[in-house]
């Protein structure tokens, strides 16, 4: 199988929903390897765009109630998660080394060296974990190394922030006792904790626990786009103080100053969020977090094959080659190693 061109900048993407999409639509894993007729991410397009790895999210769907998802049952979430994890491992088994499920930083490095696509398994929302946390060990054994406490719906662990514009994320209470225990147990295991979709009180509780790097895998900067899902400047500083990272999201409603879902959003809008996050949090704490296959994209960045356009826009904005490399790959590699304890 073809490997990515050496002239492409390798990108680690903090968030995509490709596995969840495969599971929800019942697509066979082989389709991802040979190319899918629609969607935003498959292996041929990943190779064409220089995607070397990413957090592959599993988010069990639920019925929507207005702008907030309803609570999701543990059994329903577990069944969906099991199927999506099975698809991930089937991809790796069928790919002749071109796709690998990664559980440590050394294997991530080997994937980059070999031109293989590194899948880091991520649960977006903790509903597939029981309140006693027994299932967490099972998901860890299956390769899960990253966990988002919530999607934008309530759970027994925390409260997700509704999709609103303009709005702050100060929309409800913080972590439950079970949520606090989950954060601490993830730190013990070496499961990275993601605060994307978490409300302000929950974010503050995670900061107070101090159990590892704070990661916001796919968010924008609230100062530039007042969407409820975005991080304030003070939250960006907390990310930096924890040695964590924010992955700048690509989807227009989270990056445009007017909050509109407008596909004619220039790639430079993403660059503006990158530059603001760098100014507030520091270069070492900023990466990319597209939300491919989970949200609409700008027309100039319709899928993963178009990533070189964003890399070029970062360079055009005055970032050096070394700075772009950190944002595209190096910062994520550092935080993953720190969270995993390797």
């Amino acid at each position: 199988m073809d490997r990515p061109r050496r002239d492409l900048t390798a990108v680690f993407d903090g968030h995509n929903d490709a596995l969840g999409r495969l599971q929800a639509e019942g697509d066979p894993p082989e389709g991802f390897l040979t190319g899918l007729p629609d969607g935003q991410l498959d292996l041929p397009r990943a190779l064409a765009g220089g995607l070397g790895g990413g957090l592959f999210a599993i988010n069990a769907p639920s019925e929507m109630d207005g702008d907030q998802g309803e609570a999701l049952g543990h059994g329903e979430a577990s069944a969906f998660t099991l199927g999506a994890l099975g698809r991930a491992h089937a991809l790796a088994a069928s790919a002749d080394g071109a796709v690998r499920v990664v559980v440590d930083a050394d294997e991530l490095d080997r994937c980059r060296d070999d031109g293989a696509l590194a899948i880091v398994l991520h649960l977006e929302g903790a509903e597939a974990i029981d309140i006693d946390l027994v299932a967490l060990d099972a998901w860890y054994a299956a390769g899960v190394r990253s966990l988002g406490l919530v999607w934008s719906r309530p759970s027994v662990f925390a409260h997700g922030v509704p999709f609103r514009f303009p709005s702050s994320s100060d929309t409800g209470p913080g972590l439950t006792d079970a949520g606090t225990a989950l954060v601490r147990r993830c730190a013990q295991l070496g499961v990275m904790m993601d605060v994307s979709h978490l409300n302000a009180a929950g974010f503050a509780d995670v900061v107070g626990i101090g159990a590892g790097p704070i990661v916001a895998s796919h968010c924008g900067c609230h100062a530039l786009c007042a969407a409820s899902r975005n991080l304030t400047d003070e939250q960006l500083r907390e990310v930096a103080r924890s040695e964590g990272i924010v992955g700048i999201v690509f989807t227009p409603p989270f990056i445009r100053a007017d909050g509109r879902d407008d596909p004619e959003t220039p790639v430079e809008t993403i660059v503006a969020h990158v530059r603001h996050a760098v100014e507030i949090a520091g270069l070492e704490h900023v990466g990319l977090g597209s939300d491919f296959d989970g949200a609409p994209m700008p027309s100039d960045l319709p899928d993963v094959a178009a990533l070189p356009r964003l890399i070029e826009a970062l360079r055009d904005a005055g970032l050096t080659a070394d700075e772009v490399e950190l944002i595209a790959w190096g910062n994520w590699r550092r935080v993953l190693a720190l969270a995993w304890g390797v």
Side-chain angles (χ1 to χ4, degrees), residues 241-262:
R241 283 191 279 266
S242 76
E243 294 300 320
I245 190 171
V246 55
I248 298 299
V249 71
F250 298 177
T251 190
F254 301 145
I255 58 174
R256 291 179 61 95
D258 58 11
R260 291 171 52 210
D261 185 6
D262 185 351

mmCIF file with all atom_site columns, all heavy atoms in Angstrom, residues 241-262:
data_model
loop_
_atom_site.group_PDB
_atom_site.id
_atom_site.type_symbol
_atom_site.label_atom_id
_atom_site.label_alt_id
_atom_site.label_comp_id
_atom_site.label_asym_id
_atom_site.label_entity_id
_atom_site.label_seq_id
_atom_site.pdbx_PDB_ins_code
_atom_site.Cartn_x
_atom_site.Cartn_y
_atom_site.Cartn_z
_atom_site.occupancy
_atom_site.B_iso_or_equiv
_atom_site.pdbx_formal_charge
_atom_site.auth_seq_id
_atom_site.auth_comp_id
_atom_site.auth_asym_id
_atom_site.auth_atom_id
_atom_site.pdbx_PDB_model_num
ATOM 1   N N   . ARG A 1 241 ? -0.866  25.543 32.009 1.00 0.00 ? 241 ARG A N   1
ATOM 2   C CA  . ARG A 1 241 ? -0.311  25.266 33.349 1.00 0.00 ? 241 ARG A CA  1
ATOM 3   C C   . ARG A 1 241 ? -0.282  23.779 33.654 1.00 0.00 ? 241 ARG A C   1
ATOM 4   O O   . ARG A 1 241 ? 0.561   23.310 34.429 1.00 0.00 ? 241 ARG A O   1
ATOM 5   C CB  . ARG A 1 241 ? -1.119  26.025 34.415 1.00 0.00 ? 241 ARG A CB  1
ATOM 6   C CG  . ARG A 1 241 ? -0.793  27.511 34.487 1.00 0.00 ? 241 ARG A CG  1
ATOM 7   C CD  . ARG A 1 241 ? -1.398  28.159 35.708 1.00 0.00 ? 241 ARG A CD  1
ATOM 8   N NE  . ARG A 1 241 ? -2.791  28.481 35.539 1.00 0.00 ? 241 ARG A NE  1
ATOM 9   C CZ  . ARG A 1 241 ? -3.261  29.672 35.132 1.00 0.00 ? 241 ARG A CZ  1
ATOM 10  N NH1 . ARG A 1 241 ? -2.420  30.653 34.823 1.00 0.00 ? 241 ARG A NH1 1
ATOM 11  N NH2 . ARG A 1 241 ? -4.560  29.885 35.023 1.00 0.00 ? 241 ARG A NH2 1
ATOM 12  N N   . SER A 1 242 ? -1.183  23.030 33.047 1.00 0.00 ? 242 SER A N   1
ATOM 13  C CA  . SER A 1 242 ? -1.225  21.582 33.274 1.00 0.00 ? 242 SER A CA  1
ATOM 14  C C   . SER A 1 242 ? -0.306  20.804 32.335 1.00 0.00 ? 242 SER A C   1
ATOM 15  O O   . SER A 1 242 ? -0.269  19.573 32.395 1.00 0.00 ? 242 SER A O   1
ATOM 16  C CB  . SER A 1 242 ? -2.659  21.077 33.087 1.00 0.00 ? 242 SER A CB  1
ATOM 17  O OG  . SER A 1 242 ? -2.998  21.008 31.707 1.00 0.00 ? 242 SER A OG  1
ATOM 18  N N   . GLU A 1 243 ? 0.393   21.507 31.437 1.00 0.00 ? 243 GLU A N   1
ATOM 19  C CA  . GLU A 1 243 ? 1.221   20.894 30.389 1.00 0.00 ? 243 GLU A CA  1
ATOM 20  C C   . GLU A 1 243 ? 0.369   20.183 29.340 1.00 0.00 ? 243 GLU A C   1
ATOM 21  O O   . GLU A 1 243 ? 0.832   19.247 28.670 1.00 0.00 ? 243 GLU A O   1
ATOM 22  C CB  . GLU A 1 243 ? 2.247   19.919 30.983 1.00 0.00 ? 243 GLU A CB  1
ATOM 23  C CG  . GLU A 1 243 ? 3.292   20.594 31.853 1.00 0.00 ? 243 GLU A CG  1
ATOM 24  C CD  . GLU A 1 243 ? 4.099   21.640 31.086 1.00 0.00 ? 243 GLU A CD  1
ATOM 25  O OE1 . GLU A 1 243 ? 4.436   21.393 29.917 1.00 0.00 ? 243 GLU A OE1 1
ATOM 26  O OE2 . GLU A 1 243 ? 4.382   22.702 31.656 1.00 0.00 ? 243 GLU A OE2 1
ATOM 27  N N   . GLY A 1 244 ? -0.879  20.637 29.164 1.00 0.00 ? 244 GLY A N   1
ATOM 28  C CA  . GLY A 1 244 ? -1.788  20.019 28.221 1.00 0.00 ? 244 GLY A CA  1
ATOM 29  C C   . GLY A 1 244 ? -1.777  20.667 26.849 1.00 0.00 ? 244 GLY A C   1
ATOM 30  O O   . GLY A 1 244 ? -0.812  21.319 26.451 1.00 0.00 ? 244 GLY A O   1
ATOM 31  N N   . ILE A 1 245 ? -2.899  20.502 26.114 1.00 0.00 ? 245 ILE A N   1
ATOM 32  C CA  . ILE A 1 245 ? -2.971  20.963 24.730 1.00 0.00 ? 245 ILE A CA  1
ATOM 33  C C   . ILE A 1 245 ? -4.413  21.238 24.350 1.00 0.00 ? 245 ILE A C   1
ATOM 34  O O   . ILE A 1 245 ? -5.337  20.569 24.833 1.00 0.00 ? 245 ILE A O   1
ATOM 35  C CB  . ILE A 1 245 ? -2.367  19.903 23.778 1.00 0.00 ? 245 ILE A CB  1
ATOM 36  C CG1 . ILE A 1 245 ? -2.203  20.431 22.355 1.00 0.00 ? 245 ILE A CG1 1
ATOM 37  C CG2 . ILE A 1 245 ? -3.160  18.608 23.803 1.00 0.00 ? 245 ILE A CG2 1
ATOM 38  C CD1 . ILE A 1 245 ? -1.416  19.488 21.435 1.00 0.00 ? 245 ILE A CD1 1
ATOM 39  N N   . VAL A 1 246 ? -4.612  22.228 23.499 1.00 0.00 ? 246 VAL A N   1
ATOM 40  C CA  . VAL A 1 246 ? -5.896  22.445 22.836 1.00 0.00 ? 246 VAL A CA  1
ATOM 41  C C   . VAL A 1 246 ? -5.714  22.143 21.354 1.00 0.00 ? 246 VAL A C   1
ATOM 42  O O   . VAL A 1 246 ? -4.783  22.638 20.716 1.00 0.00 ? 246 VAL A O   1
ATOM 43  C CB  . VAL A 1 246 ? -6.428  23.879 23.045 1.00 0.00 ? 246 VAL A CB  1
ATOM 44  C CG1 . VAL A 1 246 ? -5.425  24.935 22.611 1.00 0.00 ? 246 VAL A CG1 1
ATOM 45  C CG2 . VAL A 1 246 ? -7.751  24.074 22.307 1.00 0.00 ? 246 VAL A CG2 1
ATOM 46  N N   . GLY A 1 247 ? -6.576  21.282 20.824 1.00 0.00 ? 247 GLY A N   1
ATOM 47  C CA  . GLY A 1 247 ? -6.597  21.007 19.389 1.00 0.00 ? 247 GLY A CA  1
ATOM 48  C C   . GLY A 1 247 ? -7.619  21.917 18.741 1.00 0.00 ? 247 GLY A C   1
ATOM 49  O O   . GLY A 1 247 ? -8.816  21.829 19.043 1.00 0.00 ? 247 GLY A O   1
ATOM 50  N N   . ILE A 1 248 ? -7.173  22.790 17.867 1.00 0.00 ? 248 ILE A N   1
ATOM 51  C CA  . ILE A 1 248 ? -8.069  23.770 17.258 1.00 0.00 ? 248 ILE A CA  1
ATOM 52  C C   . ILE A 1 248 ? -8.990  23.080 16.245 1.00 0.00 ? 248 ILE A C   1
ATOM 53  O O   . ILE A 1 248 ? -8.542  22.428 15.312 1.00 0.00 ? 248 ILE A O   1
ATOM 54  C CB  . ILE A 1 248 ? -7.278  24.901 16.581 1.00 0.00 ? 248 ILE A CB  1
ATOM 55  C CG1 . ILE A 1 248 ? -6.443  25.654 17.627 1.00 0.00 ? 248 ILE A CG1 1
ATOM 56  C CG2 . ILE A 1 248 ? -8.218  25.857 15.849 1.00 0.00 ? 248 ILE A CG2 1
ATOM 57  C CD1 . ILE A 1 248 ? -7.246  26.314 18.732 1.00 0.00 ? 248 ILE A CD1 1
ATOM 58  N N   . VAL A 1 249 ? -10.285 23.256 16.466 1.00 0.00 ? 249 VAL A N   1
ATOM 59  C CA  . VAL A 1 249 ? -11.304 22.624 15.636 1.00 0.00 ? 249 VAL A CA  1
ATOM 60  C C   . VAL A 1 249 ? -11.428 23.361 14.306 1.00 0.00 ? 249 VAL A C   1
ATOM 61  O O   . VAL A 1 249 ? -11.088 24.536 14.196 1.00 0.00 ? 249 VAL A O   1
ATOM 62  C CB  . VAL A 1 249 ? -12.648 22.596 16.400 1.00 0.00 ? 249 VAL A CB  1
ATOM 63  C CG1 . VAL A 1 249 ? -13.249 23.991 16.509 1.00 0.00 ? 249 VAL A CG1 1
ATOM 64  C CG2 . VAL A 1 249 ? -13.623 21.601 15.802 1.00 0.00 ? 249 VAL A CG2 1
ATOM 65  N N   . PHE A 1 250 ? -11.945 22.680 13.275 1.00 0.00 ? 250 PHE A N   1
ATOM 66  C CA  . PHE A 1 250 ? -12.051 23.268 11.951 1.00 0.00 ? 250 PHE A CA  1
ATOM 67  C C   . PHE A 1 250 ? -13.464 23.722 11.601 1.00 0.00 ? 250 PHE A C   1
ATOM 68  O O   . PHE A 1 250 ? -13.648 24.462 10.647 1.00 0.00 ? 250 PHE A O   1
ATOM 69  C CB  . PHE A 1 250 ? -11.634 22.254 10.868 1.00 0.00 ? 250 PHE A CB  1
ATOM 70  C CG  . PHE A 1 250 ? -10.216 21.766 10.940 1.00 0.00 ? 250 PHE A CG  1
ATOM 71  C CD1 . PHE A 1 250 ? -9.772  20.798 10.042 1.00 0.00 ? 250 PHE A CD1 1
ATOM 72  C CD2 . PHE A 1 250 ? -9.308  22.244 11.879 1.00 0.00 ? 250 PHE A CD2 1
ATOM 73  C CE1 . PHE A 1 250 ? -8.476  20.321 10.081 1.00 0.00 ? 250 PHE A CE1 1
ATOM 74  C CE2 . PHE A 1 250 ? -8.000  21.775 11.929 1.00 0.00 ? 250 PHE A CE2 1
ATOM 75  C CZ  . PHE A 1 250 ? -7.591  20.805 11.026 1.00 0.00 ? 250 PHE A CZ  1
ATOM 76  N N   . THR A 1 251 ? -14.469 23.247 12.300 1.00 0.00 ? 251 THR A N   1
ATOM 77  C CA  . THR A 1 251 ? -15.848 23.428 11.856 1.00 0.00 ? 251 THR A CA  1
ATOM 78  C C   . THR A 1 251 ? -16.308 24.885 11.997 1.00 0.00 ? 251 THR A C   1
ATOM 79  O O   . THR A 1 251 ? -16.061 25.519 13.025 1.00 0.00 ? 251 THR A O   1
ATOM 80  C CB  . THR A 1 251 ? -16.786 22.455 12.598 1.00 0.00 ? 251 THR A CB  1
ATOM 81  O OG1 . THR A 1 251 ? -18.078 22.469 12.010 1.00 0.00 ? 251 THR A OG1 1
ATOM 82  C CG2 . THR A 1 251 ? -16.898 22.813 14.063 1.00 0.00 ? 251 THR A CG2 1
ATOM 83  N N   . PRO A 1 252 ? -16.932 25.459 10.962 1.00 0.00 ? 252 PRO A N   1
ATOM 84  C CA  . PRO A 1 252 ? -17.207 26.900 10.936 1.00 0.00 ? 252 PRO A CA  1
ATOM 85  C C   . PRO A 1 252 ? -17.964 27.465 12.134 1.00 0.00 ? 252 PRO A C   1
ATOM 86  O O   . PRO A 1 252 ? -17.593 28.536 12.629 1.00 0.00 ? 252 PRO A O   1
ATOM 87  C CB  . PRO A 1 252 ? -17.987 27.078 9.622  1.00 0.00 ? 252 PRO A CB  1
ATOM 88  C CG  . PRO A 1 252 ? -17.404 26.042 8.720  1.00 0.00 ? 252 PRO A CG  1
ATOM 89  C CD  . PRO A 1 252 ? -17.177 24.852 9.619  1.00 0.00 ? 252 PRO A CD  1
ATOM 90  N N   . PRO A 1 253 ? -19.009 26.830 12.663 1.00 0.00 ? 253 PRO A N   1
ATOM 91  C CA  . PRO A 1 253 ? -19.727 27.460 13.776 1.00 0.00 ? 253 PRO A CA  1
ATOM 92  C C   . PRO A 1 253 ? -18.886 27.663 15.037 1.00 0.00 ? 253 PRO A C   1
ATOM 93  O O   . PRO A 1 253 ? -19.277 28.443 15.910 1.00 0.00 ? 253 PRO A O   1
ATOM 94  C CB  . PRO A 1 253 ? -20.879 26.479 14.048 1.00 0.00 ? 253 PRO A CB  1
ATOM 95  C CG  . PRO A 1 253 ? -21.056 25.714 12.791 1.00 0.00 ? 253 PRO A CG  1
ATOM 96  C CD  . PRO A 1 253 ? -19.685 25.592 12.212 1.00 0.00 ? 253 PRO A CD  1
ATOM 97  N N   . PHE A 1 254 ? -17.751 26.988 15.144 1.00 0.00 ? 254 PHE A N   1
ATOM 98  C CA  . PHE A 1 254 ? -16.888 27.127 16.314 1.00 0.00 ? 254 PHE A CA  1
ATOM 99  C C   . PHE A 1 254 ? -15.673 28.008 16.064 1.00 0.00 ? 254 PHE A C   1
ATOM 100 O O   . PHE A 1 254 ? -14.856 28.204 16.973 1.00 0.00 ? 254 PHE A O   1
ATOM 101 C CB  . PHE A 1 254 ? -16.428 25.749 16.808 1.00 0.00 ? 254 PHE A CB  1
ATOM 102 C CG  . PHE A 1 254 ? -17.561 24.840 17.194 1.00 0.00 ? 254 PHE A CG  1
ATOM 103 C CD1 . PHE A 1 254 ? -17.471 23.478 16.960 1.00 0.00 ? 254 PHE A CD1 1
ATOM 104 C CD2 . PHE A 1 254 ? -18.717 25.332 17.775 1.00 0.00 ? 254 PHE A CD2 1
ATOM 105 C CE1 . PHE A 1 254 ? -18.508 22.621 17.306 1.00 0.00 ? 254 PHE A CE1 1
ATOM 106 C CE2 . PHE A 1 254 ? -19.773 24.490 18.119 1.00 0.00 ? 254 PHE A CE2 1
ATOM 107 C CZ  . PHE A 1 254 ? -19.662 23.131 17.885 1.00 0.00 ? 254 PHE A CZ  1
ATOM 108 N N   . ILE A 1 255 ? -15.549 28.539 14.837 1.00 0.00 ? 255 ILE A N   1
ATOM 109 C CA  . ILE A 1 255 ? -14.388 29.386 14.562 1.00 0.00 ? 255 ILE A CA  1
ATOM 110 C C   . ILE A 1 255 ? -14.767 30.750 13.991 1.00 0.00 ? 255 ILE A C   1
ATOM 111 O O   . ILE A 1 255 ? -13.967 31.684 14.059 1.00 0.00 ? 255 ILE A O   1
ATOM 112 C CB  . ILE A 1 255 ? -13.379 28.690 13.622 1.00 0.00 ? 255 ILE A CB  1
ATOM 113 C CG1 . ILE A 1 255 ? -14.021 28.298 12.295 1.00 0.00 ? 255 ILE A CG1 1
ATOM 114 C CG2 . ILE A 1 255 ? -12.755 27.474 14.325 1.00 0.00 ? 255 ILE A CG2 1
ATOM 115 C CD1 . ILE A 1 255 ? -13.030 27.743 11.271 1.00 0.00 ? 255 ILE A CD1 1
ATOM 116 N N   . ARG A 1 256 ? -15.959 30.885 13.437 1.00 0.00 ? 256 ARG A N   1
ATOM 117 C CA  . ARG A 1 256 ? -16.373 32.161 12.863 1.00 0.00 ? 256 ARG A CA  1
ATOM 118 C C   . ARG A 1 256 ? -16.820 33.135 13.951 1.00 0.00 ? 256 ARG A C   1
ATOM 119 O O   . ARG A 1 256 ? -17.498 32.737 14.908 1.00 0.00 ? 256 ARG A O   1
ATOM 120 C CB  . ARG A 1 256 ? -17.522 31.960 11.875 1.00 0.00 ? 256 ARG A CB  1
ATOM 121 C CG  . ARG A 1 256 ? -17.141 31.243 10.593 1.00 0.00 ? 256 ARG A CG  1
ATOM 122 C CD  . ARG A 1 256 ? -18.375 31.071 9.708  1.00 0.00 ? 256 ARG A CD  1
ATOM 123 N NE  . ARG A 1 256 ? -18.945 32.371 9.351  1.00 0.00 ? 256 ARG A NE  1
ATOM 124 C CZ  . ARG A 1 256 ? -18.668 33.023 8.239  1.00 0.00 ? 256 ARG A CZ  1
ATOM 125 N NH1 . ARG A 1 256 ? -17.801 32.516 7.371  1.00 0.00 ? 256 ARG A NH1 1
ATOM 126 N NH2 . ARG A 1 256 ? -19.237 34.181 7.986  1.00 0.00 ? 256 ARG A NH2 1
ATOM 127 N N   . ALA A 1 257 ? -16.495 34.396 13.790 1.00 0.00 ? 257 ALA A N   1
ATOM 128 C CA  . ALA A 1 257 ? -16.899 35.411 14.768 1.00 0.00 ? 257 ALA A CA  1
ATOM 129 C C   . ALA A 1 257 ? -18.409 35.536 14.859 1.00 0.00 ? 257 ALA A C   1
ATOM 130 O O   . ALA A 1 257 ? -18.947 35.892 15.921 1.00 0.00 ? 257 ALA A O   1
ATOM 131 C CB  . ALA A 1 257 ? -16.288 36.766 14.399 1.00 0.00 ? 257 ALA A CB  1
ATOM 132 N N   . ASP A 1 258 ? -19.127 35.219 13.751 1.00 0.00 ? 258 ASP A N   1
ATOM 133 C CA  . ASP A 1 258 ? -20.586 35.311 13.775 1.00 0.00 ? 258 ASP A CA  1
ATOM 134 C C   . ASP A 1 258 ? -21.265 33.987 14.108 1.00 0.00 ? 258 ASP A C   1
ATOM 135 O O   . ASP A 1 258 ? -22.493 33.911 14.157 1.00 0.00 ? 258 ASP A O   1
ATOM 136 C CB  . ASP A 1 258 ? -21.119 35.842 12.435 1.00 0.00 ? 258 ASP A CB  1
ATOM 137 C CG  . ASP A 1 258 ? -20.709 34.973 11.232 1.00 0.00 ? 258 ASP A CG  1
ATOM 138 O OD1 . ASP A 1 258 ? -20.199 33.850 11.444 1.00 0.00 ? 258 ASP A OD1 1
ATOM 139 O OD2 . ASP A 1 258 ? -20.903 35.423 10.093 1.00 0.00 ? 258 ASP A OD2 1
ATOM 140 N N   . GLY A 1 259 ? -20.497 32.928 14.330 1.00 0.00 ? 259 GLY A N   1
ATOM 141 C CA  . GLY A 1 259 ? -21.055 31.645 14.723 1.00 0.00 ? 259 GLY A CA  1
ATOM 142 C C   . GLY A 1 259 ? -21.858 30.937 13.649 1.00 0.00 ? 259 GLY A C   1
ATOM 143 O O   . GLY A 1 259 ? -22.542 29.941 13.939 1.00 0.00 ? 259 GLY A O   1
ATOM 144 N N   . ARG A 1 260 ? -21.773 31.386 12.403 1.00 0.00 ? 260 ARG A N   1
ATOM 145 C CA  . ARG A 1 260 ? -22.579 30.806 11.333 1.00 0.00 ? 260 ARG A CA  1
ATOM 146 C C   . ARG A 1 260 ? -21.961 29.517 10.791 1.00 0.00 ? 260 ARG A C   1
ATOM 147 O O   . ARG A 1 260 ? -20.746 29.377 10.742 1.00 0.00 ? 260 ARG A O   1
ATOM 148 C CB  . ARG A 1 260 ? -22.760 31.813 10.190 1.00 0.00 ? 260 ARG A CB  1
ATOM 149 C CG  . ARG A 1 260 ? -23.624 33.008 10.519 1.00 0.00 ? 260 ARG A CG  1
ATOM 150 C CD  . ARG A 1 260 ? -23.553 34.039 9.410  1.00 0.00 ? 260 ARG A CD  1
ATOM 151 N NE  . ARG A 1 260 ? -23.842 33.445 8.112  1.00 0.00 ? 260 ARG A NE  1
ATOM 152 C CZ  . ARG A 1 260 ? -23.342 33.879 6.961  1.00 0.00 ? 260 ARG A CZ  1
ATOM 153 N NH1 . ARG A 1 260 ? -22.494 34.917 6.946  1.00 0.00 ? 260 ARG A NH1 1
ATOM 154 N NH2 . ARG A 1 260 ? -23.680 33.298 5.814  1.00 0.00 ? 260 ARG A NH2 1
ATOM 155 N N   . ASP A 1 261 ? -22.828 28.610 10.369 1.00 0.00 ? 261 ASP A N   1
ATOM 156 C CA  . ASP A 1 261 ? -22.389 27.383 9.708  1.00 0.00 ? 261 ASP A CA  1
ATOM 157 C C   . ASP A 1 261 ? -22.269 27.682 8.221  1.00 0.00 ? 261 ASP A C   1
ATOM 158 O O   . ASP A 1 261 ? -23.114 27.303 7.409  1.00 0.00 ? 261 ASP A O   1
ATOM 159 C CB  . ASP A 1 261 ? -23.383 26.263 9.970  1.00 0.00 ? 261 ASP A CB  1
ATOM 160 C CG  . ASP A 1 261 ? -22.914 24.934 9.400  1.00 0.00 ? 261 ASP A CG  1
ATOM 161 O OD1 . ASP A 1 261 ? -21.766 24.867 8.912  1.00 0.00 ? 261 ASP A OD1 1
ATOM 162 O OD2 . ASP A 1 261 ? -23.697 23.965 9.431  1.00 0.00 ? 261 ASP A OD2 1
ATOM 163 N N   . ASP A 1 262 ? -21.190 28.362 7.866  1.00 0.00 ? 262 ASP A N   1
ATOM 164 C CA  . ASP A 1 262 ? -20.989 28.841 6.503  1.00 0.00 ? 262 ASP A CA  1
ATOM 165 C C   . ASP A 1 262 ? -19.795 28.126 5.894  1.00 0.00 ? 262 ASP A C   1
ATOM 166 O O   . ASP A 1 262 ? -18.656 28.311 6.338  1.00 0.00 ? 262 ASP A O   1
ATOM 167 C CB  . ASP A 1 262 ? -20.753 30.354 6.506  1.00 0.00 ? 262 ASP A CB  1
ATOM 168 C CG  . ASP A 1 262 ? -20.649 30.947 5.116  1.00 0.00 ? 262 ASP A CG  1
ATOM 169 O OD1 . ASP A 1 262 ? -20.585 30.172 4.142  1.00 0.00 ? 262 ASP A OD1 1
ATOM 170 O OD2 . ASP A 1 262 ? -20.619 32.187 5.006  1.00 0.00 ? 262 ASP A OD2 1
#
